[in-house]
């Protein structure tokens, strides 16, 4: 309890003010919890300060903990700077917001083996063999109108469980996103594809996202797009990721809202400008200023669109919001730079890849296995 109070004092998270007229005072109380590791053993006794009082307007008592909501990207940014700033958590961390944490020359984030084991048991994958990649490159996912119908509730439960795992496993993000497109009318082929992701995870349960202590603090983004990759509506799939130094802190894979008429427009729409700008603002909270943040793109035509000051006839019909990135290029908030396709790590978020290419990009993202 005293250590918790000392942290409040050192970090200056409060200031004493006069009580406002006709306002209730929110009281506090201590709640004591035992923190346990993966095996269930108590590793730390923790004191939590909670609010307790009476709401005059509603006429009800309340007893609530202070639980601020944070985006996962913000948590990963925080962990990337954990060695630079004082942390209030005492002792070694084992779990953090649902993520298993291993501290070996940095941070390694993963879901616990128990989570993986429960999923295998729930969906009958305990005796199935493992596979090397989450999605076969020869499989083309579509509506499969003549396919056998499967239980919609069970399929959605499987997709929800896999989405939960993507918080620490960017390597399955694309495959899960594709399978999630068919939740309204899942067929046996879709269930087989989703269970393949479980078979992939079965063979690499110890793999986690590594955030090394050293590696610099330069923010860089990668943006890629798979032109008209969706067989159902021919929309493109955008994939982006952002790194601080060599630490992956943000990523997503998403089918675009409209159909692109050419590859440059698909890439242009999929650029990760907005996410990079949000991360730049978050870094300012840590007193780190970033300017002209590079976004790496493997399409020279898309780069030319952002650098052309004249909206010629070939780009006039692009929706205005997709010129948002060009506006920030002109303001020198970001720069769109060319990178060869073989070095484009965002490729893993846009399409299924062969085993060798997939393993190469996993390593680039910082996904490693820790025993």
């Amino acid at each position: 309890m005293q250590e918790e109070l000392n942290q409040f004092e050192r970090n200056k998270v409060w200031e004493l003010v006069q009580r406002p007229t006709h306002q209730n005072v929110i009281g506090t109380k201590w709640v004591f919890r035992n923190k346990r590791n993966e095996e269930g053993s108590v590793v730390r006794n923790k004191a939590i300060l909670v609010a307790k009082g009476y709401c005059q307007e509603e006429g009800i008592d309340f007893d609530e903990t202070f639980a601020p909501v944070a985006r996962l990207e913000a948590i990963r940014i925080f962990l990337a700077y954990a060695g630079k700033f004082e942390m209030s958590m005492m002792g070694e961390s084992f779990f953090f917001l649902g993520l298993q944490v291993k501290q070996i020359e940095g941070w390694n984030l993963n879901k616990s083996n128990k989570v993986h084991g429960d999923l295998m048991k729930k969906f009958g994958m305990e005796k199935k063999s493992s596979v090397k990649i989450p999605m076969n490159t020869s499989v083309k996912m579509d509506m499969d109108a003549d396919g056998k119908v499967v239980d919609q509730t069970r399929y959605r439960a499987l997709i929800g469980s896999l989405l939960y795992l993507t918080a620490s496993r960017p390597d399955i993000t694309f495959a899960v996103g594709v399978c999630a497109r068919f939740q309204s009318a899942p067929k046996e082929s879709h269930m087989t594809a989703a269970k393949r992701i479980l078979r992939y995870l079965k063979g690499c349960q110890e793999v986690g996202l590594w955030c090394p202590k050293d590696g610099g603090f330069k923010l860089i983004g990668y943006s890629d797009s798979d032109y008209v990759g969706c067989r159902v509506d021919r929309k493109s799939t955008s994939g982006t990721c952002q790194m601080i130094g060599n630490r992956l802190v943000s990523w997503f894979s998403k089918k675009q809202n409209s159909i692109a008429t050419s590859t440059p427009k698909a890439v242009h729409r999929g650029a990760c400008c907005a996410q990079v700008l949000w991360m730049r603002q978050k870094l300012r909270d840590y007193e780190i200023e970033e300017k002209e943040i590079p976004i790496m793109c493997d399409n020279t035509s898309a780069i030319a669109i952002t650098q052309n000051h004249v909206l010629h006839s070939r780009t006039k019909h692009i929706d205005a919001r997709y010129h948002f990135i060009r506006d920030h290029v002109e303001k020198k908030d970001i720069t769109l730079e060319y990178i060869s396709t073989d070095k484009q790590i965002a490729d893993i978020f846009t399409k299924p890849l062969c085993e060798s290419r997939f393993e190469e990009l996993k390593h680039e993202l910082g996904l490693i296995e820790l025993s």
Side-chain angles (χ1 to χ4, degrees), residues 281-292:
Q281 185 61 42
K282 182 59 61 177
L283 290 175
R284 285 175 176 169
D285 295 339
Y286 297 100
E287 300 180 353
I288 296 175
E289 187 66 35
E290 288 281 341
K291 288 212 178 269
E292 295 192 87

Side-chain angles (χ1 to χ4, degrees), residues 121-278:
K121 183 177 181 180
K122 180 178 180 180
F123 295 100
M125 305 301 292
E126 295 172 294
K127 297 182 180 180
K128 298 292 184 179
S129 60
S130 62
V131 294
K132 296 294 186 180
I133 52 177
M135 178 169 283
N136 198 315
T137 55
S138 63
V139 173
K140 304 299 182 182
M141 299 283 284
D142 56 25
M143 296 301 294
D144 193 8
D146 299 326
K148 181 181 178 180
V149 177
V150 297
D151 184 7
Q152 187 181 90
T153 300
R154 185 171 176 79
Y155 184 79
R156 289 181 174 180
L158 174 54
I159 296 301
S161 299
L162 292 172
L163 286 170
Y164 173 69
L165 295 179
T166 59
S168 60
R169 295 298 298 266
D171 51 334
I172 65 172
T173 299
F174 170 75
V176 175
V178 172
C179 292
R181 299 172 187 175
F182 304 99
Q183 295 184 77
S184 60
K187 303 296 175 61
E188 190 172 35
S189 60
H190 306 142
M191 180 66 83
T192 300
K195 285 187 175 181
R196 181 188 174 91
I197 303 175
L198 284 181
R199 294 174 59 194
Y200 164 73
L201 291 172
K202 185 177 183 180
C204 54
Q205 297 185 36
E206 294 292 337
V207 170
L209 183 61
W210 188 44
C211 296
K213 289 182 178 180
D214 302 319
F217 298 102
K218 178 65 177 176
L219 176 59
I220 183 173
Y222 294 84
S223 177
D224 194 23
S225 180
D226 180 31
Y227 178 51
V228 297
C230 181
R231 290 174 60 88
V232 177
D233 52 20
R234 309 312 293 176
K235 293 179 180 178
S236 303
T237 300
S238 297
T240 73
C241 63
Q242 294 76 37
M243 306 187 77
I244 296 179
N246 56 354
R247 312 170 190 88
L248 179 66
V249 294
S250 176
W251 64 86
F252 76 81
S253 175
K254 181 183 179 181
K255 185 170 70 171
Q256 294 180 1
N257 295 325
S258 58
I259 300 176
T261 57
S262 68
T263 301
K265 297 176 181 62
V267 177
H268 189 45
R269 295 181 181 192
C272 55
C273 179
Q275 181 71 358
V276 164
L277 293 175
W278 177 85

Side-chain angles (χ1 to χ4, degrees), residues 3-18:
E3 180 59 28
E4 186 84 358
L5 294 173
N6 290 341
Q7 288 289 341
F8 293 156
E9 185 69 29
R10 285 195 294 268
N11 295 324
K12 302 185 183 301
V13 297
W14 60 273
E15 60 181 8
L16 188 64
V17 299
Q18 292 293 328

Side-chain angles (χ1 to χ4, degrees), residues 71 155 159 255 308 316 325 334 337 370:
R71 291 171 58 171
Y155 184 79
I159 296 301
K255 185 170 70 171
N308 188 354
K316 282 184 178 178
I325 183 173
I334 65 167
E337 300 180 8
L370 290 182

Side-chain angles (χ1 to χ4, degrees), residues 108-110 168-172 200 206-211 246 248 251 348-349 358-370:
N108 187 273
L109 306 179
N110 194 4
S168 60
R169 295 298 298 266
D171 51 334
I172 65 172
Y200 164 73
E206 294 292 337
V207 170
L209 183 61
W210 188 44
C211 296
N246 56 354
L248 179 66
W251 64 86
I348 198 173
F349 302 110
F358 185 78
E359 289 296 329
E360 176 188 354
L361 293 183
K362 274 180 61 177
H363 178 75
E364 292 293 328
L365 293 174
L367 287 164
I368 64 173
E369 183 173 352
L370 290 182

Side-chain angles (χ1 to χ4, degrees), residues 283-348:
L283 290 175
R284 285 175 176 169
D285 295 339
Y286 297 100
E287 300 180 353
I288 296 175
E289 187 66 35
E290 288 281 341
K291 288 212 178 269
E292 295 192 87
I293 302 168
I295 297 178
M296 313 307 294
C297 173
D298 60 2
N299 189 287
T300 55
S301 298
I303 296 175
I305 291 175
T306 64
Q307 296 175 343
N308 188 354
H309 293 272
V310 179
L311 287 175
H312 48 72
S313 59
R314 288 181 295 175
T315 59
K316 282 184 178 178
H317 64 283
I318 301 179
D319 194 286
R321 67 180 180 273
Y322 297 119
H323 288 290
F324 168 76
I325 183 173
R326 185 171 64 186
D327 181 52
H328 284 282
V329 168
E330 294 175 353
K331 293 178 180 177
K332 298 188 181 302
D333 293 328
I334 65 167
T335 61
L336 205 60
E337 300 180 8
Y338 177 77
I339 188 173
S340 60
T341 301
D342 61 333
K343 296 181 180 179
Q344 175 57 275
I345 62 177
D347 203 31
I348 198 173

